[in-house]
Amino acid sequence: MVTIEEAVSKRDIKTFAKFPFSLYKGSPYWVPPLIKEEMNSFDKEKNPAFKTSDTWFLLAYKGGKLVGRALAIINKLEVEQQQIKKIRFGWFDFVDDKQVSKALLDKVESLGRAHGMDQMEGPMGFSNLDKVGVLVDGFDYIGTMVTWYNHPYYQEHYEHLGLERGKEYVENIVPLANADPSNFKRINDLIKKRYQLRELNVTRKDQLETMIDAMFGLLDLTYQRLDSYTPISKEQRQHLKKRFIDFVNPEYIKFVVDKDDRLIAFAVVLPSYAHALQKANGKLFPFGIWHLLQARRKSKSVLFYLIGVHPDYQKKGVTAIIFNEYYETFLRYGVETGIRTPELEDNTAARQIWKHMTNIVHKRRRTYRKHF
């Protein structure tokens, strides 16, 4: 018999955070999170996402053994602003036992019903900047710090339990070492001259911090048309800044401004920390922080995490300016491979950005949903 318990104490939530370490022990593809960072993101006093969400940390036990977990989330901004009565579920992991996955999802559904929701969807986080989607193809590629990895049997569980496919996402490998820069170099000059634009580069953390608010404002403008997008609150912006600022190489953040110095485009690229995080195995000390610092300076792979373009400048070639700047920066750092993190498969605007570069779809993931 499977029993579901709600994790409330700090000790129980740490148990929740550490469950995947046993589930994926020995996997060459799973990338463990830093336990300290994970605990901070689960701390209701530190993560402002809890202020606009109702949440339940769920632990599944069978025969006295921990066998699964799930975080149930009602994003109140999504419910109020988009009129979508949905309970989300994320951080959803379980052993290969359908009684376990069913018990966890049944609990999510009952919580949703009790709070007036009419559907559930996952795996997904608090907002659009969290991890999303269950991996359904590409299991033999290493994960990233901004995505979930999972065993192949997960998909079978979702479909066996009657959930239907939700949103589809793809991830791409971009072999930057073989990229031909001629197209975006040519367009770069034309676009800057035509629209009176210029690149704005930073090299220090304090310079980057002055741009954070403008970045998030532009992010909202860029994605507000997507029905799945919920705005990021000011408190969440500050939390995300604190969470990621130490992982960022300021030279990997690119900006484009107009003649009045108004931000009209930006892109965020992160060094790949996958192998460093595997070596750290959840701990910063004694050696984890050293591995991460080495990766920040020397990683030959990078993650294309976010890109934002003001609606007035979309489909006008502005990203050529960004790619031109990245090409020069990546040459200096010896970067060979780019990884495009999950993008909605039907996001044609995103695909257009990359049309002049070689892209290899290496992973697919999706959400699953159920109406009740």
Side-chain angles (χ1 to χ4, degrees):
M1 179 180 177
V2 179
T3 58
I4 304 299
E5 298 181 9
E6 185 177 351
V8 177
S9 70
K10 185 175 181 179
R11 180 179 179 180
D12 287 344
I13 292 175
K14 192 169 187 177
T15 297
F16 181 98
K18 293 180 71 173
F19 173 66
F21 285 80
S22 59
L23 188 65
Y24 296 104
K25 186 177 181 179
S27 169
Y29 308 115
W30 180 65
V31 175
L34 293 172
I35 295 172
K36 181 180 179 181
E37 291 297 318
E38 198 83 329
M39 289 298 290
N40 285 341
S41 69
F42 293 154
D43 190 327
K44 296 183 180 182
E45 299 300 318
K46 295 180 179 179
N47 186 349
F50 287 96
K51 294 180 181 179
T52 55
S53 302
D54 292 325
T55 57
W56 299 265
F57 291 86
L58 307 175
L59 294 171
Y61 290 90
K62 187 173 185 180
K65 182 180 179 181
L66 180 62
V67 288
R69 68 170 189 173
L71 176 55
I73 305 164
I74 295 177
N75 182 324
K76 289 184 279 192
L77 294 178
E78 182 176 52
V79 175
E80 294 165 5
Q81 296 179 12
Q82 299 185 16
Q83 298 296 301
I84 299 175
K85 296 181 179 181
K86 177 170 70 182
I87 185 168
R88 300 170 170 227
F89 59 91
W91 291 269
F92 184 37
D93 290 291
F94 45 87
V95 299
D96 192 7
D97 181 335
K98 293 185 176 67
Q99 289 184 348
V100 175
S101 54
K102 182 178 187 304
L104 283 164
L105 288 179
D106 282 351
K107 182 61 177 180
V108 173
E109 180 177 341
S110 68
L111 287 167
R113 288 179 181 274
H115 289 79
M117 302 297 106
D118 59 20
Q119 60 184 287
M120 64 181 183
E121 184 176 9
M124 57 202 324
F126 296 97
S127 75
N128 301 74
L129 296 185
D130 284 316
K131 299 176 182 181
V132 67
V134 59
L135 191 65
V136 296
D137 189 31
F139 299 100
D140 53 353
Y141 288 93
I142 192 169
T144 73
M145 67 179 290
V146 297
T147 54
W148 284 307
Y149 184 80
N150 56 265
H151 291 302
Y153 62 75
Y154 278 38
Q155 179 181 359
E156 180 189 352
H157 281 239
Y158 282 106
E159 296 178 357
H160 173 81
L161 295 172
L163 277 75
E164 60 184 28
R165 296 182 181 188
K167 301 176 185 67
E168 302 278 344
Y169 297 84
V170 294
E171 296 175 55
N172 291 260
I173 292 175
V174 185
L176 299 170
N178 300 322
D180 179 3
S182 59
N183 279 311
F184 49 78
K185 278 185 173 294
R186 174 179 55 83
I187 299 171
N188 166 69
D189 295 332
L190 291 172
I191 297 302
K192 286 198 290 189
K193 184 176 180 179
R194 178 179 298 171
Y195 299 112
Q196 301 181 64
L197 305 176
R198 66 179 179 88
E199 67 277 2
L200 177 63
N201 292 315
V202 298
T203 58
R204 302 193 314 268
K205 189 187 298 185
D206 61 317
Q207 295 173 320
L208 177 59
E209 288 180 341
T210 65
M211 303 294 295
I212 297 293
D213 286 340
M215 284 173 57
F216 277 111
L218 184 53
L219 185 73
D220 284 344
L221 283 175
T222 301
Y223 294 104
Q224 63 186 355
R225 297 176 184 175
L226 295 177
D227 60 7
S228 60
Y229 185 76
T230 53
I232 311 300
S233 70
K234 290 182 179 180
E235 291 83 4
Q236 284 177 283
R237 295 178 185 186
Q238 291 301 311
H239 173 74
L240 289 165
K241 180 179 75 172
K242 292 178 182 177
R243 187 178 177 188
F244 285 107
I245 196 72
D246 289 332
F247 290 100
V248 168
N249 178 340
E251 293 184 66
Y252 285 3
I253 315 297
K254 302 299 181 183
F255 304 100
V256 178
V257 296
D258 65 13
K259 60 183 177 59
D260 299 315
D261 288 334
R262 182 180 61 138
L263 183 66
I264 60 99
F266 75 92
V268 177
V269 167
L270 301 173
S272 175
Y273 289 101
H275 292 292
L277 286 168
Q278 286 183 329
K279 293 174 183 176
N281 196 33
K283 300 177 182 179
L284 277 174
F285 300 100
F287 303 114
I289 193 166
W290 185 85
H291 292 304
L292 293 170
L293 288 173
Q294 288 292 102
R296 187 171 67 180
R297 293 193 297 264
K298 299 181 179 180
S299 178
K300 301 300 181 185
S301 296
V302 295
L303 306 181
F304 287 91
Y305 180 49
L306 280 178
I307 189 164
V309 180
H310 193 285
D312 292 346
Y313 288 89
Q314 291 175 10
K315 300 181 181 179
K316 292 184 177 178
V318 173
T319 51
I321 303 173
I322 291 173
F323 284 144
N324 188 61
E325 292 302 306
Y326 274 129
Y327 184 77
E328 300 296 331
T329 301
F330 292 159
L331 278 180
R332 291 199 305 274
Y333 279 91
V335 175
E336 299 172 353
T337 305
I339 300 169
R340 290 166 55 189
T341 50
E343 297 169 353
L344 284 165
E345 191 169 38
D346 60 1
N347 188 346
T348 55
R351 289 203 300 273
Q352 283 295 106
I353 290 173
W354 299 89
K355 65 181 180 181
H356 293 303
M357 302 181 74
T358 301
N359 293 269
I360 302 164
V361 175
H362 70 299
K363 294 180 185 176
R364 294 182 180 274
R365 61 181 67 241
R366 66 172 63 107
T367 60
Y368 280 88
R369 62 191 176 196
K370 178 181 179 181
H371 292 266
F372 39 79

